[in-house]
Amino acid sequence: MMTLLAIAVDRYVVITKPLKSMQRTSKKRTVQVIVLVWIYSLMWSMAPLLGWSSYVPEGLMISCTWDYVTSTAANKSYTMMLCCCVFFIPLIVIFYCYLLMFLAIRSTSRKVQKLASCGRQTLISMKNEWKMAKIAFVIIVVYVLSWSPYACVTLIAWAG
């Protein structure tokens, strides 16, 4: 989810603030964002190993997950924080980024169409960026559709 969040924010900056994105984009910055995403994810994955909740076998006993069924303060707090900080808040930010991208592209497209002859290259560039944004959006929608039932089950278990 954090990788999808990073992609959404990147697409948002590239589409809505292209000049700033050109100044800030570099291999070093990309590596920093990837490392940050992995550290954040590792932090949440390591918490049950360090005593905040725990890992238990689930379902057919062929995989493990954090213990969201046992009603202890540690399990309940970890489940709620995990759902908020790793699923719902990033999801809200992602959808907000895509909403602003859509509005920016629609506004820019209208302006470019008014200047049809002058902005042909800009229009082509914006269409390419929009295609990339749409692909990322489809990936995010599929991810959300895949993981929402699991998030709902954990929250139902959390509520008792």
Side-chain angles (χ1 to χ4, degrees), residues 48-109:
L49 299 175
L50 301 174
W52 190 20
S53 188
S54 60
Y55 284 115
V56 293
E58 72 169 345
L60 299 172
M61 304 295 180
I62 57 173
S63 64
C64 291
T65 190
W66 79 95
D67 189 2
Y68 58 84
V69 178
T70 307
S71 185
T72 65
N75 289 349
K76 284 188 168 242
S77 66
Y78 180 75
T79 298
M80 184 51 66
M81 291 301 293
L82 186 70
C83 285
C84 287
C85 296
V86 178
F87 190 72
F88 292 113
I89 292 172
L91 187 61
I92 290 167
V93 173
I94 288 168
F95 278 114
Y96 183 73
C97 286
Y98 276 96
L99 175 66
L100 293 179
M101 277 189 279
F102 171 74
L103 294 174
I105 287 172
R106 188 175 69 180
S107 171
T108 303
S109 294

Side-chain angles (χ1 to χ4, degrees), residues 8-136:
V9 170
D10 176 66
R11 294 289 87 207
Y12 165 76
V13 171
V14 167
I15 289 173
T16 61
K17 299 169 176 60
L19 296 177
K20 282 186 181 180
S21 74
M22 284 192 273
Q23 294 170 347
R24 293 186 175 180
T25 302
S26 68
K27 286 184 182 182
K28 181 180 177 184
R29 185 158 176 91
T30 303
V31 168
Q32 288 172 343
V33 170
I34 291 169
V35 167
L36 183 65
V37 164
W38 277 85
I39 289 172
Y40 186 81
S41 301
L42 186 62
M43 179 184 74
W44 283 104
S45 299
M46 294 294 290
L49 299 175
L50 301 174
W52 190 20
S53 188
S54 60
Y55 284 115
V56 293
E58 72 169 345
L60 299 172
M61 304 295 180
I62 57 173
S63 64
C64 291
T65 190
W66 79 95
D67 189 2
Y68 58 84
V69 178
T70 307
S71 185
T72 65
N75 289 349
K76 284 188 168 242
S77 66
Y78 180 75
T79 298
M80 184 51 66
M81 291 301 293
L82 186 70
C83 285
C84 287
C85 296
V86 178
F87 190 72
F88 292 113
I89 292 172
L91 187 61
I92 290 167
V93 173
I94 288 168
F95 278 114
Y96 183 73
C97 286
Y98 276 96
L99 175 66
L100 293 179
M101 277 189 279
F102 171 74
L103 294 174
I105 287 172
R106 188 175 69 180
S107 171
T108 303
S109 294
R110 288 179 180 166
K111 289 175 186 174
V112 169
Q113 286 175 352
K114 288 179 184 175
L115 305 169
S117 62
C118 300
R120 199 61 154 170
Q121 190 63 26
T122 305
L123 184 60
I124 291 169
S125 175
M126 289 299 288
K127 283 184 179 182
N128 289 338
E129 291 297 339
W130 183 236
K131 284 180 187 176
M132 290 176 62
K134 284 196 285 189
I135 291 168

